Amino acid sequence: MTVQKHDPARKGEADKPRAPAGAGQPRRTAVITGITGQDGSYLAELLLAKGYDVVGIVRRTSHDSYERIGHLLDRVHIVPADLLDQHSLTSVVRDARPDEVYNLAAQSFVPTSWTQPVLTGEFTALGVTRLLEAVRLAHPTARVYQASSSEMFGKAQETPQRETTPFYPRSPYGVAKVYGHWITVNYRESYGLYAVSGILFNHESPRRGLEFVTRKVTDGVARIVKGKARDLHLGNLDARRDWGFAGDYVDAMWRMLQPPRPADYVIGTGEMHSVRELCDLAFSHVGLDWQKYVTVDPRFVRPAEVDTLQADPSKARRELQWTPGTSFADLVRMMVDADLERLS
Ligand code: NAP
Ligand code: G4F
């Protein structure tokens, strides 16, 4: 394996100008970890539309997990690698020589982080170091996006939360994401890598995993309408989140890797809604009263809760010209309609 050694003289990669994407320029290449996930599928679509060569990292499983990217398979390069395996990551980066690397892979479900805390740390925390090492050793001019999370704010120390708000994570997942954030900042400051941490608030879509609360509710509504379920069991209805549309948020990821100098950004809508409001909107969209169907079930209450999260995305608006394009009500209706269609 030919691996480019780190040369301290390379410190300052982040400052080097590069040609803008577009007509007359060579095609850019992007590597995406987590391409089979919600965000990976939307990001792959966005980058293909911009003319990128897209290389998607997929871990080996006995069943393929291409449900979200089946329509893209003839246009992306799928390569096997795992966040747990340094050699596989280094090989992919060495072979692809990407312009941009998006690290979206993680164990991303907060409740699982209490039942599998060590594995969550391996994927979601140390996996970031492995990927950064792959870039540092094999292709240090690549620009790296790290998928950080508003869960890092946890027991929020101020509202709304911005880039300078102190972290107070409330789950092994949140702790692992704090590690991922700081190791990204450290590789930028130690080695001059162009590495940014995007602190994204909750974002949802019809491709969201069924275990997350928005999709659990919209899928539950569709099942009740279709006569496949009679009720819906949820946890804390008072939790409040800043929910946006995933399709809007992958555009923010791309924008973060375009400026000449790397910086970290908070991405969210600036609006907060409760799980109760989510239920009201989703059930009323099909003419039902949510209170007749929703039961609070202690099985879905967490050992420690993040009560409220609300973004202050003004830095992204100012510096990246990014604004969310989908309202919470439109998002919930889009998801209910998609679940009804899917079950038809
Ligand atoms: P997701 O749907 O759960 O997708 C996670 C992806 O990671 C899947 O493609 C999964 O592959 C892959 N993966 C997991 N472990 C892996 C491993 N060991 N090696 C290689 N790939 C692995 O998550 P998402 O909602 O798209 O979120 C993307 C990223 O943003 C995650 O890092 C998440 O923590 C973060 N984030 C999400 C939100 C949000 O609201 N969605 C907000 C803030 C931050 P399989 O298909 O094989 O499982
Ligand atoms: O939809 P959730 O499971 O998302 P959560 O925990 O906020 O995490 C998501 O967003 C993070 C960004 O802040 C990402 F980093 C992370 O990867 C993930 O995408 O739960 C949202 C809220 C929680 O307060 C939870 O207690 O909904 C509450 N909730 C109430 N009943 C429920 C349920 N959550 C789930 N999953 N299932 C319930 O039955």
Side-chain angles (χ1 to χ4, degrees), residues 151 154 202 213-214 217 234-243 271-279 296 300-302 304-310 328:
E151 277 292 303
N202 301 52
V213 75
T214 52
V217 169
L234 296 175
N236 177 13
L237 303 182
D238 295 321
R240 291 159 76 79
R241 289 289 184 278
D242 180 331
W243 279 296
E271 271 182 34
M272 201 164 45
H273 300 275
S274 64
V275 174
R276 209 179 291 275
E277 287 173 72
L278 162 68
C279 292
V296 173
F300 299 111
V301 176
R302 299 177 179 188
E305 179 61 290
V306 170
D307 297 319
T308 63
L309 287 175
Q310 183 179 13
F328 178 59

PDB file of all heavy atoms in Angstrom, residues 151 154 202 213-214 217 234-243 271-279 296 300-302 304-310 328:
ATOM      1  N   GLU A 151     -27.300  17.053  19.730  1.00  0.00           N
ATOM      2  CA  GLU A 151     -27.303  16.269  20.977  1.00  0.00           C
ATOM      3  C   GLU A 151     -26.084  16.628  21.844  1.00  0.00           C
ATOM      4  O   GLU A 151     -26.070  16.347  23.031  1.00  0.00           O
ATOM      5  CB  GLU A 151     -27.280  14.772  20.665  1.00  0.00           C
ATOM      6  CG  GLU A 151     -28.636  14.179  20.355  1.00  0.00           C
ATOM      7  CD  GLU A 151     -29.575  14.136  21.555  1.00  0.00           C
ATOM      8  OE1 GLU A 151     -29.214  13.544  22.584  1.00  0.00           O
ATOM      9  OE2 GLU A 151     -30.674  14.699  21.470  1.00  0.00           O
ATOM     10  N   GLY A 154     -27.247  18.889  24.569  1.00  0.00           N
ATOM     11  CA  GLY A 154     -27.914  18.128  25.630  1.00  0.00           C
ATOM     12  C   GLY A 154     -28.729  18.970  26.590  1.00  0.00           C
ATOM     13  O   GLY A 154     -29.764  19.521  26.228  1.00  0.00           O
ATOM     14  N   ASN A 202     -32.100  18.225  14.553  1.00  0.00           N
ATOM     15  CA  ASN A 202     -32.853  17.093  13.993  1.00  0.00           C
ATOM     16  C   ASN A 202     -33.370  17.411  12.600  1.00  0.00           C
ATOM     17  O   ASN A 202     -33.991  18.449  12.385  1.00  0.00           O
ATOM     18  CB  ASN A 202     -34.052  16.756  14.878  1.00  0.00           C
ATOM     19  CG  ASN A 202     -33.653  16.387  16.291  1.00  0.00           C
ATOM     20  OD1 ASN A 202     -32.913  17.123  16.938  1.00  0.00           O
ATOM     21  ND2 ASN A 202     -34.142  15.272  16.776  1.00  0.00           N
ATOM     22  N   VAL A 213     -38.678   9.561  16.281  1.00  0.00           N
ATOM     23  CA  VAL A 213     -40.052   9.875  16.675  1.00  0.00           C
ATOM     24  C   VAL A 213     -40.911  10.426  15.532  1.00  0.00           C
ATOM     25  O   VAL A 213     -42.085  10.072  15.419  1.00  0.00           O
ATOM     26  CB  VAL A 213     -40.072  10.796  17.925  1.00  0.00           C
ATOM     27  CG1 VAL A 213     -39.708  12.235  17.587  1.00  0.00           C
ATOM     28  CG2 VAL A 213     -41.423  10.727  18.605  1.00  0.00           C
ATOM     29  N   THR A 214     -40.340  11.248  14.656  1.00  0.00           N
ATOM     30  CA  THR A 214     -41.178  11.807  13.570  1.00  0.00           C
ATOM     31  C   THR A 214     -41.710  10.691  12.678  1.00  0.00           C
ATOM     32  O   THR A 214     -42.900  10.610  12.395  1.00  0.00           O
ATOM     33  CB  THR A 214     -40.370  12.768  12.681  1.00  0.00           C
ATOM     34  OG1 THR A 214     -39.180  12.096  12.257  1.00  0.00           O
ATOM     35  CG2 THR A 214     -40.035  14.062  13.405  1.00  0.00           C
ATOM     36  N   VAL A 217     -44.232   8.412  14.300  1.00  0.00           N
ATOM     37  CA  VAL A 217     -45.576   9.005  14.338  1.00  0.00           C
ATOM     38  C   VAL A 217     -46.217   8.959  12.950  1.00  0.00           C
ATOM     39  O   VAL A 217     -47.366   8.533  12.809  1.00  0.00           O
ATOM     40  CB  VAL A 217     -45.510  10.455  14.889  1.00  0.00           C
ATOM     41  CG1 VAL A 217     -46.842  11.167  14.678  1.00  0.00           C
ATOM     42  CG2 VAL A 217     -45.132  10.440  16.362  1.00  0.00           C
ATOM     43  N   LEU A 234     -45.791   5.987  22.626  1.00  0.00           N
ATOM     44  CA  LEU A 234     -44.664   6.923  22.582  1.00  0.00           C
ATOM     45  C   LEU A 234     -44.114   7.154  23.991  1.00  0.00           C
ATOM     46  O   LEU A 234     -44.725   6.729  24.978  1.00  0.00           O
ATOM     47  CB  LEU A 234     -45.113   8.265  22.001  1.00  0.00           C
ATOM     48  CG  LEU A 234     -45.579   8.263  20.537  1.00  0.00           C
ATOM     49  CD1 LEU A 234     -46.108   9.645  20.160  1.00  0.00           C
ATOM     50  CD2 LEU A 234     -44.434   7.863  19.597  1.00  0.00           C
ATOM     51  N   GLY A 235     -42.965   7.879  24.046  1.00  0.00           N
ATOM     52  CA  GLY A 235     -42.355   8.237  25.327  1.00  0.00           C
ATOM     53  C   GLY A 235     -42.753   9.640  25.745  1.00  0.00           C
ATOM     54  O   GLY A 235     -43.943   9.973  25.842  1.00  0.00           O
ATOM     55  N   ASN A 236     -41.762  10.490  25.939  1.00  0.00           N
ATOM     56  CA  ASN A 236     -41.971  11.842  26.478  1.00  0.00           C
ATOM     57  C   ASN A 236     -42.598  12.784  25.436  1.00  0.00           C
ATOM     58  O   ASN A 236     -41.929  13.208  24.495  1.00  0.00           O
ATOM     59  CB  ASN A 236     -40.599  12.367  26.939  1.00  0.00           C
ATOM     60  CG  ASN A 236     -40.661  13.784  27.449  1.00  0.00           C
ATOM     61  OD1 ASN A 236     -41.737  14.318  27.700  1.00  0.00           O
ATOM     62  ND2 ASN A 236     -39.488  14.394  27.596  1.00  0.00           N
ATOM     63  N   LEU A 237     -43.851  13.137  25.651  1.00  0.00           N
ATOM     64  CA  LEU A 237     -44.555  13.999  24.682  1.00  0.00           C
ATOM     65  C   LEU A 237     -44.176  15.475  24.839  1.00  0.00           C
ATOM     66  O   LEU A 237     -44.487  16.302  23.983  1.00  0.00           O
ATOM     67  CB  LEU A 237     -46.077  13.858  24.863  1.00  0.00           C
ATOM     68  CG  LEU A 237     -46.660  12.451  24.734  1.00  0.00           C
ATOM     69  CD1 LEU A 237     -48.172  12.478  24.884  1.00  0.00           C
ATOM     70  CD2 LEU A 237     -46.271  11.817  23.402  1.00  0.00           C
ATOM     71  N   ASP A 238     -43.526  15.800  25.951  1.00  0.00           N
ATOM     72  CA  ASP A 238     -43.171  17.214  26.208  1.00  0.00           C
ATOM     73  C   ASP A 238     -41.829  17.601  25.603  1.00  0.00           C
ATOM     74  O   ASP A 238     -41.477  18.785  25.594  1.00  0.00           O
ATOM     75  CB  ASP A 238     -43.130  17.479  27.717  1.00  0.00           C
ATOM     76  CG  ASP A 238     -44.510  17.315  28.331  1.00  0.00           C
ATOM     77  OD1 ASP A 238     -45.478  17.732  27.675  1.00  0.00           O
ATOM     78  OD2 ASP A 238     -44.601  16.741  29.427  1.00  0.00           O
ATOM     79  N   ALA A 239     -41.041  16.605  25.111  1.00  0.00           N
ATOM     80  CA  ALA A 239     -39.737  16.933  24.515  1.00  0.00           C
ATOM     81  C   ALA A 239     -39.956  17.875  23.334  1.00  0.00           C
ATOM     82  O   ALA A 239     -40.923  17.727  22.585  1.00  0.00           O
ATOM     83  CB  ALA A 239     -39.043  15.655  24.051  1.00  0.00           C
ATOM     84  N   ARG A 240     -39.042  18.837  23.215  1.00  0.00           N
ATOM     85  CA  ARG A 240     -39.151  19.818  22.122  1.00  0.00           C
ATOM     86  C   ARG A 240     -37.875  19.772  21.282  1.00  0.00           C
ATOM     87  O   ARG A 240     -36.776  19.708  21.818  1.00  0.00           O
ATOM     88  CB  ARG A 240     -39.373  21.221  22.697  1.00  0.00           C
ATOM     89  CG  ARG A 240     -40.752  21.371  23.346  1.00  0.00           C
ATOM     90  CD  ARG A 240     -40.782  22.534  24.331  1.00  0.00           C
ATOM     91  NE  ARG A 240     -40.856  23.825  23.661  1.00  0.00           N
ATOM     92  CZ  ARG A 240     -41.975  24.334  23.160  1.00  0.00           C
ATOM     93  NH1 ARG A 240     -43.095  23.659  23.232  1.00  0.00           N
ATOM     94  NH2 ARG A 240     -41.971  25.516  22.586  1.00  0.00           N
ATOM     95  N   ARG A 241     -38.066  19.806  19.961  1.00  0.00           N
ATOM     96  CA  ARG A 241     -36.923  19.742  19.056  1.00  0.00           C
ATOM     97  C   ARG A 241     -37.086  20.776  17.947  1.00  0.00           C
ATOM     98  O   ARG A 241     -38.186  21.233  17.637  1.00  0.00           O
ATOM     99  CB  ARG A 241     -36.820  18.356  18.387  1.00  0.00           C
ATOM    100  CG  ARG A 241     -36.387  17.224  19.294  1.00  0.00           C
ATOM    101  CD  ARG A 241     -34.903  17.340  19.668  1.00  0.00           C
ATOM    102  NE  ARG A 241     -34.454  16.209  20.473  1.00  0.00           N
ATOM    103  CZ  ARG A 241     -34.639  16.104  21.782  1.00  0.00           C
ATOM    104  NH1 ARG A 241     -35.258  17.065  22.463  1.00  0.00           N
ATOM    105  NH2 ARG A 241     -34.185  15.043  22.448  1.00  0.00           N
ATOM    106  N   ASP A 242     -35.928  21.088  17.328  1.00  0.00           N
ATOM    107  CA  ASP A 242     -35.887  21.981  16.166  1.00  0.00           C
ATOM    108  C   ASP A 242     -35.781  21.044  14.954  1.00  0.00           C
ATOM    109  O   ASP A 242     -34.699  20.553  14.632  1.00  0.00           O
ATOM    110  CB  ASP A 242     -34.652  22.876  16.314  1.00  0.00           C
ATOM    111  CG  ASP A 242     -34.484  23.851  15.168  1.00  0.00           C
ATOM    112  OD1 ASP A 242     -34.926  23.530  14.039  1.00  0.00           O
ATOM    113  OD2 ASP A 242     -33.896  24.920  15.401  1.00  0.00           O
ATOM    114  N   TRP A 243     -36.950  20.747  14.327  1.00  0.00           N
ATOM    115  CA  TRP A 243     -37.001  19.749  13.259  1.00  0.00           C
ATOM    116  C   TRP A 243     -37.005  20.395  11.877  1.00  0.00           C
ATOM    117  O   TRP A 243     -37.865  21.255  11.595  1.00  0.00           O
ATOM    118  CB  TRP A 243     -38.284  18.917  13.376  1.00  0.00           C
ATOM    119  CG  TRP A 243     -38.269  17.796  14.361  1.00  0.00           C
ATOM    120  CD1 TRP A 243     -37.488  16.678  14.332  1.00  0.00           C
ATOM    121  CD2 TRP A 243     -39.125  17.647  15.505  1.00  0.00           C
ATOM    122  NE1 TRP A 243     -37.805  15.846  15.391  1.00  0.00           N
ATOM    123  CE2 TRP A 243     -38.797  16.410  16.118  1.00  0.00           C
ATOM    124  CE3 TRP A 243     -40.139  18.439  16.076  1.00  0.00           C
ATOM    125  CZ2 TRP A 243     -39.439  15.948  17.269  1.00  0.00           C
ATOM    126  CZ3 TRP A 243     -40.774  17.974  17.217  1.00  0.00           C
ATOM    127  CH2 TRP A 243     -40.423  16.746  17.799  1.00  0.00           C
ATOM    128  N   GLU A 271     -36.746  27.194  15.002  1.00  0.00           N
ATOM    129  CA  GLU A 271     -38.081  26.982  15.596  1.00  0.00           C
ATOM    130  C   GLU A 271     -38.078  25.693  16.392  1.00  0.00           C
ATOM    131  O   GLU A 271     -37.450  24.723  15.991  1.00  0.00           O
ATOM    132  CB  GLU A 271     -39.120  26.782  14.496  1.00  0.00           C
ATOM    133  CG  GLU A 271     -39.762  28.013  13.991  1.00  0.00           C
ATOM    134  CD  GLU A 271     -40.812  27.654  12.935  1.00  0.00           C
ATOM    135  OE1 GLU A 271     -41.456  26.595  13.053  1.00  0.00           O
ATOM    136  OE2 GLU A 271     -40.938  28.440  11.988  1.00  0.00           O
ATOM    137  N   MET A 272     -38.875  25.685  17.472  1.00  0.00           N
ATOM    138  CA  MET A 272     -38.940  24.480  18.302  1.00  0.00           C
ATOM    139  C   MET A 272     -40.399  24.016  18.389  1.00  0.00           C
ATOM    140  O   MET A 272     -41.305  24.852  18.482  1.00  0.00           O
ATOM    141  CB  MET A 272     -38.437  24.873  19.691  1.00  0.00           C
ATOM    142  CG  MET A 272     -37.957  23.777  20.528  1.00  0.00           C
ATOM    143  SD  MET A 272     -36.974  24.362  21.941  1.00  0.00           S
ATOM    144  CE  MET A 272     -37.841  25.726  22.629  1.00  0.00           C
ATOM    145  N   HIS A 273     -40.616  22.695  18.343  1.00  0.00           N
ATOM    146  CA  HIS A 273     -41.969  22.140  18.480  1.00  0.00           C
ATOM    147  C   HIS A 273     -41.898  20.922  19.400  1.00  0.00           C
ATOM    148  O   HIS A 273     -40.874  20.249  19.469  1.00  0.00           O
ATOM    149  CB  HIS A 273     -42.517  21.713  17.113  1.00  0.00           C
ATOM    150  CG  HIS A 273     -42.608  22.845  16.135  1.00  0.00           C
ATOM    151  ND1 HIS A 273     -43.698  23.689  16.076  1.00  0.00           N
ATOM    152  CD2 HIS A 273     -41.730  23.288  15.208  1.00  0.00           C
ATOM    153  CE1 HIS A 273     -43.492  24.596  15.133  1.00  0.00           C
ATOM    154  NE2 HIS A 273     -42.301  24.384  14.594  1.00  0.00           N
ATOM    155  N   SER A 274     -43.022  20.623  20.060  1.00  0.00           N
ATOM    156  CA  SER A 274     -43.042  19.462  20.968  1.00  0.00           C
ATOM    157  C   SER A 274     -43.495  18.211  20.221  1.00  0.00           C
ATOM    158  O   SER A 274     -44.113  18.287  19.150  1.00  0.00           O
ATOM    159  CB  SER A 274     -43.984  19.725  22.143  1.00  0.00           C
ATOM    160  OG  SER A 274     -45.309  19.849  21.651  1.00  0.00           O
ATOM    161  N   VAL A 275     -43.230  17.049  20.839  1.00  0.00           N
ATOM    162  CA  VAL A 275     -43.713  15.776  20.284  1.00  0.00           C
ATOM    163  C   VAL A 275     -45.244  15.812  20.232  1.00  0.00           C
ATOM    164  O   VAL A 275     -45.861  15.309  19.290  1.00  0.00           O
ATOM    165  CB  VAL A 275     -43.196  14.593  21.137  1.00  0.00           C
ATOM    166  CG1 VAL A 275     -43.803  13.266  20.686  1.00  0.00           C
ATOM    167  CG2 VAL A 275     -41.667  14.530  21.089  1.00  0.00           C
ATOM    168  N   ARG A 276     -45.853  16.455  21.239  1.00  0.00           N
ATOM    169  CA  ARG A 276     -47.318  16.612  21.261  1.00  0.00           C
ATOM    170  C   ARG A 276     -47.805  17.357  20.002  1.00  0.00           C
ATOM    171  O   ARG A 276     -48.758  16.931  19.358  1.00  0.00           O
ATOM    172  CB  ARG A 276     -47.660  17.435  22.509  1.00  0.00           C
ATOM    173  CG  ARG A 276     -49.000  17.199  23.125  1.00  0.00           C
ATOM    174  CD  ARG A 276     -49.123  18.101  24.358  1.00  0.00           C
ATOM    175  NE  ARG A 276     -48.240  17.678  25.433  1.00  0.00           N
ATOM    176  CZ  ARG A 276     -48.547  16.744  26.321  1.00  0.00           C
ATOM    177  NH1 ARG A 276     -49.698  16.158  26.249  1.00  0.00           N
ATOM    178  NH2 ARG A 276     -47.706  16.402  27.268  1.00  0.00           N
ATOM    179  N   GLU A 277     -47.124  18.477  19.657  1.00  0.00           N
ATOM    180  CA  GLU A 277     -47.507  19.221  18.435  1.00  0.00           C
ATOM    181  C   GLU A 277     -47.329  18.362  17.183  1.00  0.00           C
ATOM    182  O   GLU A 277     -48.119  18.439  16.248  1.00  0.00           O
ATOM    183  CB  GLU A 277     -46.642  20.480  18.287  1.00  0.00           C
ATOM    184  CG  GLU A 277     -46.949  21.607  19.245  1.00  0.00           C
ATOM    185  CD  GLU A 277     -45.905  22.703  19.085  1.00  0.00           C
ATOM    186  OE1 GLU A 277     -45.930  23.413  18.067  1.00  0.00           O
ATOM    187  OE2 GLU A 277     -45.030  22.805  19.965  1.00  0.00           O
ATOM    188  N   LEU A 278     -46.234  17.585  17.172  1.00  0.00           N
ATOM    189  CA  LEU A 278     -45.977  16.673  16.048  1.00  0.00           C
ATOM    190  C   LEU A 278     -47.165  15.722  15.876  1.00  0.00           C
ATOM    191  O   LEU A 278     -47.666  15.522  14.764  1.00  0.00           O
ATOM    192  CB  LEU A 278     -44.676  15.894  16.336  1.00  0.00           C
ATOM    193  CG  LEU A 278     -44.416  14.614  15.544  1.00  0.00           C
ATOM    194  CD1 LEU A 278     -44.161  14.929  14.078  1.00  0.00           C
ATOM    195  CD2 LEU A 278     -43.207  13.864  16.135  1.00  0.00           C
ATOM    196  N   CYS A 279     -47.633  15.145  16.995  1.00  0.00           N
ATOM    197  CA  CYS A 279     -48.771  14.208  16.933  1.00  0.00           C
ATOM    198  C   CYS A 279     -50.018  14.929  16.428  1.00  0.00           C
ATOM    199  O   CYS A 279     -50.740  14.408  15.553  1.00  0.00           O
ATOM    200  CB  CYS A 279     -49.056  13.634  18.318  1.00  0.00           C
ATOM    201  SG  CYS A 279     -47.760  12.562  18.914  1.00  0.00           S
ATOM    202  N   VAL A 296     -48.884   6.997  26.317  1.00  0.00           N
ATOM    203  CA  VAL A 296     -47.514   7.152  26.821  1.00  0.00           C
ATOM    204  C   VAL A 296     -47.077   5.821  27.421  1.00  0.00           C
ATOM    205  O   VAL A 296     -47.787   5.239  28.242  1.00  0.00           O
ATOM    206  CB  VAL A 296     -47.425   8.286  27.858  1.00  0.00           C
ATOM    207  CG1 VAL A 296     -46.033   8.312  28.501  1.00  0.00           C
ATOM    208  CG2 VAL A 296     -47.730   9.626  27.206  1.00  0.00           C
ATOM    209  N   PHE A 300     -40.495   3.812  26.342  1.00  0.00           N
ATOM    210  CA  PHE A 300     -39.867   4.750  25.404  1.00  0.00           C
ATOM    211  C   PHE A 300     -39.372   6.035  26.079  1.00  0.00           C
ATOM    212  O   PHE A 300     -38.970   6.980  25.406  1.00  0.00           O
ATOM    213  CB  PHE A 300     -40.839   5.074  24.262  1.00  0.00           C
ATOM    214  CG  PHE A 300     -41.205   3.845  23.474  1.00  0.00           C
ATOM    215  CD1 PHE A 300     -42.493   3.313  23.534  1.00  0.00           C
ATOM    216  CD2 PHE A 300     -40.248   3.181  22.715  1.00  0.00           C
ATOM    217  CE1 PHE A 300     -42.822   2.167  22.839  1.00  0.00           C
ATOM    218  CE2 PHE A 300     -40.570   2.019  22.019  1.00  0.00           C
ATOM    219  CZ  PHE A 300     -41.855   1.503  22.080  1.00  0.00           C
ATOM    220  N   VAL A 301     -39.429   6.028  27.426  1.00  0.00           N
ATOM    221  CA  VAL A 301     -38.878   7.173  28.160  1.00  0.00           C
ATOM    222  C   VAL A 301     -37.399   6.902  28.409  1.00  0.00           C
ATOM    223  O   VAL A 301     -37.019   5.788  28.766  1.00  0.00           O
ATOM    224  CB  VAL A 301     -39.646   7.391  29.491  1.00  0.00           C
ATOM    225  CG1 VAL A 301     -39.014   8.514  30.305  1.00  0.00           C
ATOM    226  CG2 VAL A 301     -41.119   7.701  29.199  1.00  0.00           C
ATOM    227  N   ARG A 302     -36.551   7.894  28.223  1.00  0.00           N
ATOM    228  CA  ARG A 302     -35.094   7.691  28.272  1.00  0.00           C
ATOM    229  C   ARG A 302     -34.530   7.855  29.689  1.00  0.00           C
ATOM    230  O   ARG A 302     -35.100   8.600  30.484  1.00  0.00           O
ATOM    231  CB  ARG A 302     -34.420   8.691  27.323  1.00  0.00           C
ATOM    232  CG  ARG A 302     -34.900   8.460  25.916  1.00  0.00           C
ATOM    233  CD  ARG A 302     -34.364   9.442  24.905  1.00  0.00           C
ATOM    234  NE  ARG A 302     -34.913   9.056  23.607  1.00  0.00           N
ATOM    235  CZ  ARG A 302     -34.563   9.574  22.454  1.00  0.00           C
ATOM    236  NH1 ARG A 302     -33.653  10.535  22.403  1.00  0.00           N
ATOM    237  NH2 ARG A 302     -35.103   9.154  21.331  1.00  0.00           N
ATOM    238  N   ALA A 304     -32.056   9.594  30.576  1.00  0.00           N
ATOM    239  CA  ALA A 304     -31.805  11.033  30.741  1.00  0.00           C
ATOM    240  C   ALA A 304     -32.344  11.687  29.475  1.00  0.00           C
ATOM    241  O   ALA A 304     -32.071  11.216  28.372  1.00  0.00           O
ATOM    242  CB  ALA A 304     -30.327  11.309  30.908  1.00  0.00           C
ATOM    243  N   GLU A 305     -33.100  12.729  29.645  1.00  0.00           N
ATOM    244  CA  GLU A 305     -33.761  13.345  28.487  1.00  0.00           C
ATOM    245  C   GLU A 305     -33.065  14.664  28.114  1.00  0.00           C
ATOM    246  O   GLU A 305     -32.506  15.357  28.973  1.00  0.00           O
ATOM    247  CB  GLU A 305     -35.242  13.596  28.815  1.00  0.00           C
ATOM    248  CG  GLU A 305     -36.068  14.258  27.716  1.00  0.00           C
ATOM    249  CD  GLU A 305     -36.155  13.459  26.404  1.00  0.00           C
ATOM    250  OE1 GLU A 305     -35.122  13.363  25.698  1.00  0.00           O
ATOM    251  OE2 GLU A 305     -37.244  12.965  26.075  1.00  0.00           O
ATOM    252  N   VAL A 306     -33.098  14.945  26.821  1.00  0.00           N
ATOM    253  CA  VAL A 306     -32.755  16.288  26.337  1.00  0.00           C
ATOM    254  C   VAL A 306     -34.106  16.970  26.133  1.00  0.00           C
ATOM    255  O   VAL A 306     -34.866  16.610  25.241  1.00  0.00           O
ATOM    256  CB  VAL A 306     -31.958  16.202  25.017  1.00  0.00           C
ATOM    257  CG1 VAL A 306     -31.812  17.564  24.389  1.00  0.00           C
ATOM    258  CG2 VAL A 306     -30.598  15.568  25.260  1.00  0.00           C
ATOM    259  N   ASP A 307     -34.439  17.901  27.032  1.00  0.00           N
ATOM    260  CA  ASP A 307     -35.806  18.456  27.043  1.00  0.00           C
ATOM    261  C   ASP A 307     -36.084  19.354  25.846  1.00  0.00           C
ATOM    262  O   ASP A 307     -37.131  19.248  25.209  1.00  0.00           O
ATOM    263  CB  ASP A 307     -36.033  19.257  28.333  1.00  0.00           C
ATOM    264  CG  ASP A 307     -35.935  18.364  29.556  1.00  0.00           C
ATOM    265  OD1 ASP A 307     -36.464  17.235  29.489  1.00  0.00           O
ATOM    266  OD2 ASP A 307     -35.303  18.773  30.548  1.00  0.00           O
ATOM    267  N   THR A 308     -35.167  20.262  25.553  1.00  0.00           N
ATOM    268  CA  THR A 308     -35.418  21.239  24.480  1.00  0.00           C
ATOM    269  C   THR A 308     -34.152  21.495  23.681  1.00  0.00           C
ATOM    270  O   THR A 308     -33.050  21.548  24.238  1.00  0.00           O
ATOM    271  CB  THR A 308     -35.871  22.605  25.065  1.00  0.00           C
ATOM    272  OG1 THR A 308     -34.812  23.117  25.866  1.00  0.00           O
ATOM    273  CG2 THR A 308     -37.138  22.485  25.881  1.00  0.00           C
ATOM    274  N   LEU A 309     -34.315  21.627  22.387  1.00  0.00           N
ATOM    275  CA  LEU A 309     -33.193  22.034  21.518  1.00  0.00           C
ATOM    276  C   LEU A 309     -33.726  23.024  20.499  1.00  0.00           C
ATOM    277  O   LEU A 309     -34.766  22.782  19.875  1.00  0.00           O
ATOM    278  CB  LEU A 309     -32.587  20.821  20.796  1.00  0.00           C
ATOM    279  CG  LEU A 309     -31.744  19.846  21.620  1.00  0.00           C
ATOM    280  CD1 LEU A 309     -31.333  18.637  20.774  1.00  0.00           C
ATOM    281  CD2 LEU A 309     -30.496  20.527  22.197  1.00  0.00           C
ATOM    282  N   GLN A 310     -33.032  24.134  20.349  1.00  0.00           N
ATOM    283  CA  GLN A 310     -33.443  25.159  19.371  1.00  0.00           C
ATOM    284  C   GLN A 310     -32.182  25.822  18.823  1.00  0.00           C
ATOM    285  O   GLN A 310     -31.340  26.296  19.595  1.00  0.00           O
ATOM    286  CB  GLN A 310     -34.334  26.205  20.054  1.00  0.00           C
ATOM    287  CG  GLN A 310     -34.849  27.263  19.095  1.00  0.00           C
ATOM    288  CD  GLN A 310     -35.748  28.265  19.795  1.00  0.00           C
ATOM    289  OE1 GLN A 310     -35.799  28.322  21.029  1.00  0.00           O
ATOM    290  NE2 GLN A 310     -36.437  29.079  19.026  1.00  0.00           N
ATOM    291  N   PHE A 328     -42.063  23.123   9.297  1.00  0.00           N
ATOM    292  CA  PHE A 328     -42.336  21.923  10.095  1.00  0.00           C
ATOM    293  C   PHE A 328     -43.659  21.292   9.662  1.00  0.00           C
ATOM    294  O   PHE A 328     -43.750  20.074   9.469  1.00  0.00           O
ATOM    295  CB  PHE A 328     -42.369  22.314  11.578  1.00  0.00           C
ATOM    296  CG  PHE A 328     -42.679  21.171  12.497  1.00  0.00           C
ATOM    297  CD1 PHE A 328     -41.869  20.038  12.530  1.00  0.00           C
ATOM    298  CD2 PHE A 328     -43.781  21.225  13.346  1.00  0.00           C
ATOM    299  CE1 PHE A 328     -42.161  18.981  13.395  1.00  0.00           C
ATOM    300  CE2 PHE A 328     -44.071  20.171  14.204  1.00  0.00           C
ATOM    301  CZ  PHE A 328     -43.268  19.044  14.235  1.00  0.00           C
TER     302      PHE A 328
END
